Amino acid sequence: MSARIIDGKAEAAKLRARVAEEAAALKRDHGIVPGLAVVLVGDNPASEVYVRNKAAQTREAGMNSFEFRLPAETTEAALLALVADLNARADVHGILVQLPLPAHIAADKVLDAIAPDKDVDGFHPMNAGLLATGRAALAPCTPLGCVILAKTVHERLRGLNVVVVGRSTIVGRPAAQLFLKEDCTVTIAHSATKDLPAVCRSADILVVAVGRPLMVKGDWVKPGATVLDVGINRVEKPEGGTRLVGDVDFESAKSVAGAITPVPGGVGPMTIACLLANTLTCARMASGLAAAA
Amino acid sequence: MSARIIDGKAEAAKLRARVAEEAAALKRDHGIVPGLAVVLVGDNPASEVYVRNKAAQTREAGMNSFEFRLPAETTEAALLALVADLNARADVHGILVQLPLPAHIAADKVLDAIAPDKDVDGFHPMNAGLLATGRAALAPCTPLGCVILAKTVHERLRGLNVVVVGRSTIVGRPAAQLFLKEDCTVTIAHSATKDLPAVCRSADILVVAVGRPLMVKGDWVKPGATVLDVGINRVEKPEGGTRLVGDVDFESAKSVAGAITPVPGGVGPMTIACLLANTLTCARMASGLAAAA
């Protein structure tokens, strides 16, 4: 039996369409156009592609996109000054500083300077803390996408065993919090975990976010489990050239799993869609409206 | 074989002695006397006992104790005004508002108003967020005590499987974060968990904080595991009168576990000792010194 392949591109498109509808309603009913500011420092080519995609999808959803491209030698002080400006602007509802930042800039300091209610990436400690205490919070986009994809497979997440492999502040840790919020029993595994394959095999939903190509094999997966692969790794093909692979060995895992995300086209596309959803939420909150459904 | 009984009273006394030494050094070297403000609203008898103990142990450690006893009908605004005063006072390094608060006061609002760098209870979302992202934070006292007790049993926590039963913001959730920081593989279980006994049996260290007397039985414990029982429940004795019991059935668990905390005298005494340690840390940080060792 082969797993159902979770179509992240289709789910992301659905979410973007819903956000676009709600953005249009916000404009019609309240005269508000949600605005997302994206700040890129330096000329990392991958970041450049990502920022361009974010801007394009923001505009497609009927929102304003404000892009700031700063040279690699930008000082921390100048970046902090820009963030302060954006915090103060009424037409900017969400602020995203694209990572990684050049080494001479303390990323924590910059992210901590973003107003928590414009923190569309959900990286501010205040949002991490609200999330960690089960309160309403802006949550990081990639783990939000994981939960949405899990819900396309499972009608109810309550009581399911979720194993999150990887404890980054961007994916693993917030994913654990979000699945806990869904009443899952959540295990966080990582590089110090003993017998990781056995821990993975206890999962009804296995979320892998470690950045190691093809690490999780088919025999690490419980038959019928849902596998969400957050990894995106570029590897060389034997015949020359490169291809993108996840942290999960898709070929062996898909014959065991009940459902699995491909790479690319799985979790990846959800990230920007969730970013747009967070921007909409920020715009609504700024106007004293409830978060979007 | 019977488990080693973890002596929380003795460990707490050791920690208090170390805090007292460091407080004396802070006074001698820097002229600073750490000050802890405790605010009690209403006349809950249990809270009254707890506040009295906190004040006494604070003074015994050579620190200043400032106690504020407010009537049950105190308004939220008045309480917030007091918190603002205490935030501004240079001689107050730590602020603790005793819970529970009367129903007409929004506890979250009051706790959120405490300056994060005076938040000795570690309940402010900012501290929860720093903890949740693996950064330096003031962490809640009871889970801090759990980690210290676990270290009296295990030379290294790295790689051990920790199961935390209960997901309160006061104990379960921060305990999970603190054991993750120690490189444990951490599972958070709760009321929606399926087959809780089996999940508990996967634990090298089992932390139970649910508030249900004697819930965890001996056959829920892996042979040789360390059991940390955070519950303190008053139950009736068959022969009349009452006694304190934990969330763990101590009698059946102690014949299986490798080490176990009794109730009372286990995790309980660590809470105030860790509160004093947090107060010392706040006082040091306020003076630009590193957190105490």
Side-chain angles (χ1 to χ4, degrees), chain A residues 108-109 112 123-135 158-161 167 169 173 177 180-194 199 204, chain B residues 108-109 112 123-135 158-161 167 169 173 177 180-194 199 204:
Chain A
D108 273 357
K109 204 165 162 187
D112 288 3
F123 293 164
H124 193 287
M126 190 70 191
N127 279 313
L130 291 170
L131 184 64
T133 52
R135 292 164 66 179
R158 183 180 167 83
L160 295 180
N161 291 333
R167 52 175 161 171
T169 56
R173 289 166 183 261
Q177 299 292 349
L180 184 61
K181 204 165 188 170
E182 298 290 338
D183 293 329
C184 297
T185 301
V186 179
T187 298
I188 309 185
H190 45 76
S191 53
T193 293
K194 286 177 188 156
V199 173
D204 300 313
Chain B
D108 274 356
K109 205 165 162 186
D112 289 3
F123 293 162
H124 193 286
M126 191 69 191
N127 279 313
L130 291 170
L131 184 64
T133 52
R135 292 165 64 180
R158 181 179 169 85
L160 295 181
N161 291 333
R167 52 175 159 171
T169 57
R173 287 166 184 263
Q177 299 292 349
L180 184 60
K181 203 164 189 172
E182 299 290 336
D183 293 329
C184 297
T185 302
V186 179
T187 299
I188 310 187
H190 44 76
S191 53
T193 293
K194 285 176 189 158
V199 173
D204 300 313

Side-chain angles (χ1 to χ4, degrees), chain A residues 191-203:
Chain A
S191 53
T193 293
K194 286 177 188 156
D195 200 354
L196 184 57
V199 173
C200 290
R201 274 190 297 271
S202 72

Side-chain angles (χ1 to χ4, degrees), chain A residues 216-241:
Chain A
V216 172
K217 310 297 177 194
D219 62 359
W220 297 28
V221 176
K222 177 160 84 173
T226 297
V227 178
L228 303 173
D229 186 354
V230 180
I232 302 182
N233 313 283
R234 188 166 290 283
V235 296
E236 303 202 345
K237 287 194 285 191
E239 68 271 27

Side-chain angles (χ1 to χ4, degrees), chain B:
Chain B
M1 213 197 67
S2 193
R4 164 180 158 196
I5 310 301
I6 299 170
D7 188 344
K9 276 176 86 166
E11 289 303 323
K14 271 195 238 172
L15 177 55
R16 287 201 310 272
R18 204 162 69 230
V19 169
E21 256 175 53
E22 290 178 4
L26 194 60
K27 189 174 176 183
R28 186 186 61 226
D29 301 340
H30 301 277
I32 300 161
V33 180
L36 173 64
V38 177
V39 181
L40 175 63
V41 183
D43 46 12
N44 181 315
S47 293
E48 174 56 44
V49 170
Y50 203 42
V51 164
R52 205 159 48 222
N53 286 341
K54 284 172 182 170
Q57 295 188 23
T58 301
R59 284 188 294 266
E60 276 166 30
M63 302 181 180
N64 288 329
S65 171
F66 307 101
E67 292 136 65
F68 298 85
R69 288 180 166 73
L70 308 179
E73 61 273 20
T74 300
T75 63
E76 188 179 280
L79 182 55
L80 287 170
L82 172 59
V83 168
D85 279 352
L86 296 173
N87 282 343
R89 272 177 62 168
D91 59 341
V92 170
H93 302 99
I95 303 169
L96 183 155
V97 176
Q98 182 66 44
L99 301 177
L101 287 169
H104 67 279
I105 297 179
D108 274 356
K109 205 165 162 186
V110 173
L111 298 182
D112 289 3
I114 295 173
D117 55 357
K118 296 190 176 187
D119 171 36
V120 281
D121 257 341
F123 293 162
H124 193 286
M126 191 69 191
N127 279 313
L130 291 170
L131 184 64
T133 52
R135 292 165 64 180
L138 287 164
C141 301
T142 302
L144 276 176
C146 289
V147 172
I148 293 172
L149 292 183
K151 286 182 175 175
T152 67
V153 180
H154 303 271
E155 206 173 316
R156 287 183 77 198
L157 297 181
R158 181 179 169 85
L160 295 181
N161 291 333
V162 174
V163 173
V164 178
V165 187
R167 52 175 159 171
S168 72
T169 57
I170 294 176
V171 184
R173 287 166 184 263
Q177 299 292 349
L178 287 167
F179 280 103
L180 184 60
K181 203 164 189 172
E182 299 290 336
D183 293 329
C184 297
T185 302
V186 179
T187 299
I188 310 187
H190 44 76
S191 53
T193 293
K194 285 176 189 158
D195 200 354
L196 183 58
V199 173
C200 290
R201 274 191 297 269
S202 71
D204 300 313
I205 298 174
L206 180 60
V207 181
V208 188
V210 288
R212 291 180 58 184
L214 310 176
M215 183 183 77
V216 172
K217 309 297 178 193
D219 61 359
W220 297 27
V221 176
K222 176 160 83 173
T226 297
V227 178
L228 303 174
D229 185 354
V230 180
I232 302 182
N233 312 283
R234 189 166 287 284
V235 297
E236 303 202 347
K237 287 194 285 192
E239 69 270 29
T242 63
R243 65 181 182 125
L244 292 178
V245 299
D247 293 345
V248 176
D249 179 9
F250 184 79
E251 288 309 318
S252 67
K254 81 173 178 197
S255 60
V256 185
I260 187 169
T261 56
V263 175
V267 174
M270 293 300 294
T271 299
I272 296 183
C274 289
L275 174 68
L276 303 183
N278 274 354
T279 303
L280 178 71
T281 297
C282 289
R284 292 181 60 90
M285 290 192 309
S287 314
L289 302 167

